[in-house]
Amino acid sequence: MNDDVPVSSRRWLRRTAVAVLGTVSLLVLAACGSADPTPTTASSPDAFTPVAQKEGSEITVWADATRVPGVQAYQKAHPNVKIKIVTYSGDANGANDLQTKVQLFDRTGSGWPDVAFSANVNDASWASQGKTPYAAPVNQGVISQSTLKGFADGALNPCTFNGNTYCLRNDLAQNVLWYNKSLMEKFGYSVPTTWEEYQALGEKVAEEHPGYLVGTAGDAWSPEVYFWASQCPASTATGAKKVKVDLRDAKCTRMAKLLDALIAKGSVSKDTVFSAGFVKNQASKVLMLPGPSWFGQVLFNSTFKTPKGQIAAASPLKFEGDAKNHTGNVGGGLWFVSSHSKNLKASADLVTWMTTSDAYQGTAGTYPAYKKAAVTWLANQKKTGYFAEDVGPVFTESAELIWPGWSATQYSQEAIYSSTVVPALNSGKTLTDTLDTWQTAIINKAKSLGYTVN
């Protein structure tokens, strides 16, 4: 876990992750913060030179418990491919396991996994760097251009550095506005389309139906849900190892004030949705909840046990003065092919299958990053009959609305928010009160990792 998170918090996060993953088959809590690596220099854009290849040799695959069944399914469908499967954390909840091990293998000169999955969408920021990056540039003859072009627009942006693509996205985690359609109709409320309407409805809910919730601010990924959607420049890349951090920007303060108002009223919780207390006491009182596409099956269905036919999704919200609505992204795992692999052919084929095949992605728990697989996935979601209405149009729309100004970095926004903002909220401070402290924490961490901050 990230050292910035208190020990008690790290233990709680690990226990929570185990509990969630233990109850959800082929579903993923893909909303995890990045690890904090040591500063590195940018890799050279020179042509990729593979190590000596040994066709038919065994490949080692590192994956989390959620992805292992998929790798096993590939193995069963390709019995001639020799695979050694290693189950590890998947770098969930800010864990640093993959990078720590890769640094060890770099020193010893052996041991790198041929393929590795990470639930940490920022891991490519270190895996693509260094004299010999761990990740192979898959666009240089490792994976076909036709396959790369099949991913959703912008899906491979977190994988792209210095003009090369160093990973494939497993899934997207675009945010939408989840709501309980049954409760909304019972209370006579209309689904908001702007953040101003959302705030007004939240205040009305607090008055008319105290105890019911329209959101949460205690989740580690709250910045990606609210501040990213508000186009807040919390970390906007302006160049190689250069970021802009300005939490006093009007697009940051407007969201802080909105959440402060609803927290004060009691309709936005300071808890996290996966805590035992929240699941037991508040899950049934969630009226609305901005959050990632995986909330549908992972949170509402598998964790909250909300009965089928109640939950629906609406388009991301916008502020009234904005030209269009934007949204954020909470997770979306990565698949790496190692630059050290002696069997790039088998490694690339497995990664391609895991990210693009209807056989796996079409029935997975999260929205596929590969467009063709996403069509199949949405059709299967509709067949389940779980949702109150077809989520396909909203998911497809929101996948194209992720604001590009929130950049992948080598530091964990989630860890900083968890260690800086959440304790402040629980002590009675407001988000607005905490913006300066939050900004200082981001800047200090960025500088410690070699970033220039402006």
Side-chain angles (χ1 to χ4, degrees), residues 121-422:
V121 75
N122 290 339
D123 265 356
S125 63
W126 65 262
S128 62
Q129 306 298 306
K131 184 178 180 180
T132 304
Y134 164 68
V138 294
N139 60 304
Q140 292 195 34
V142 178
I143 291 176
S144 71
Q145 291 298 316
S146 61
T147 296
L148 296 176
K149 291 177 181 178
F151 286 82
D153 294 345
L156 298 182
N157 285 353
C159 297
T160 304
F161 298 87
N162 300 321
N164 287 315
T165 302
Y166 289 90
C167 56
L168 296 187
R169 288 289 290 281
N170 181 77
D171 57 297
L172 297 180
Q174 69 276 37
N175 295 323
V176 298
L177 177 63
W178 290 104
Y179 66 98
N180 188 308
K181 186 177 181 180
S182 299
L183 286 176
M184 291 286 280
E185 292 177 348
K186 178 181 177 181
F187 295 161
Y189 295 148
S190 298
V191 178
T193 59
T194 67
W195 284 109
E196 288 84 357
E197 291 175 356
Y198 171 85
Q199 180 178 349
L201 182 54
E203 292 173 348
K204 191 174 184 180
V205 168
E207 181 180 344
E208 297 180 349
H209 301 282
Y212 283 84
L213 300 173
V214 300
T216 59
D219 301 298
W221 53 90
S222 294
E224 283 84 346
V225 173
Y226 297 101
F227 289 86
W228 193 338
S230 187
Q231 304 158 70
C232 167
S235 286
T236 301
T238 58
K241 298 290 287 211
K242 295 180 179 180
V243 293
K244 175 183 178 181
V245 180
D246 185 9
L247 290 178
R248 280 298 175 184
D249 185 279
K251 290 185 176 179
C252 303
T253 58
R254 65 183 181 180
M255 183 54 77
K257 291 176 182 177
L258 182 152
L259 290 172
D260 283 339
L262 296 181
I263 291 171
K265 294 286 186 179
S267 55
V268 166
S269 172
K270 292 184 287 187
D271 202 352
T272 173
V273 294
F274 284 105
S275 74
F278 190 97
V279 173
K280 180 180 178 180
N281 301 317
Q282 296 177 287
S284 63
K285 293 188 175 183
V286 172
L287 184 64
M288 293 189 295
L289 189 62
S293 52
W294 51 266
F295 266 8
Q297 293 292 355
V298 174
L299 185 65
F300 289 106
N301 189 5
S302 298
T303 305
F304 288 177
K305 309 296 184 184
T306 305
K308 66 168 51 180
Q310 294 187 13
I311 300 301
S315 299
L317 304 173
K318 75 180 189 73
F319 282 91
E320 291 176 353
D322 293 349
K324 62 177 290 186
N325 52 344
H326 291 278
T327 195
N329 181 82
V330 181
L334 313 175
W335 285 97
F336 296 106
V337 174
S338 173
S339 63
H340 307 280
S341 177
K342 296 178 181 179
N343 193 347
L344 286 170
K345 181 179 179 181
S347 299
D349 189 66
L350 184 146
V351 167
T352 300
W353 188 89
M354 292 295 295
T355 57
T356 70
S357 69
D358 281 356
Y360 174 66
Q361 286 287 357
T363 57
T366 50
Y367 184 90
Y370 195 70
K371 288 186 286 189
K372 185 176 178 293
V375 173
T376 302
W377 186 87
L378 287 170
N380 287 331
Q381 291 296 304
K382 190 173 182 179
K383 290 177 183 177
T384 66
Y386 177 72
F387 297 109
E389 55 190 39
D390 184 11
V391 298
V394 168
F395 277 25
T396 302
E397 174 198 25
S398 59
E400 306 293 333
L401 294 177
I402 297 173
W403 182 56
W406 191 286
S407 306
T409 59
Q410 292 183 335
Y411 51 88
S412 169
Q413 285 285 5
E414 292 87 350
I416 295 170
Y417 185 85
S418 294
S419 63
T420 304
V421 181
V422 173

Side-chain angles (χ1 to χ4, degrees), residues 1-2 13-14 17 21 28-33 64 67 88-97 117-120 123:
M1 303 296 280
N2 190 296
L13 285 169
R14 288 191 185 278
L21 292 174
V28 58
L29 179 56
C32 306
D64 63 349
R67 245 60 51 172
Y88 89 115
S89 70
D91 273 359
N93 289 313
N96 197 16
D97 299 327
F117 170 82
S118 173
N120 181 345
D123 265 356

Side-chain angles (χ1 to χ4, degrees), residues 98-115:
L98 180 60
Q99 191 207 359
T100 299
K101 289 293 187 180
V102 165
Q103 288 176 334
L104 172 63
F105 300 147
D106 286 344
R107 291 193 294 270
T108 60
S110 64
W112 303 278
D114 298 85
V115 171

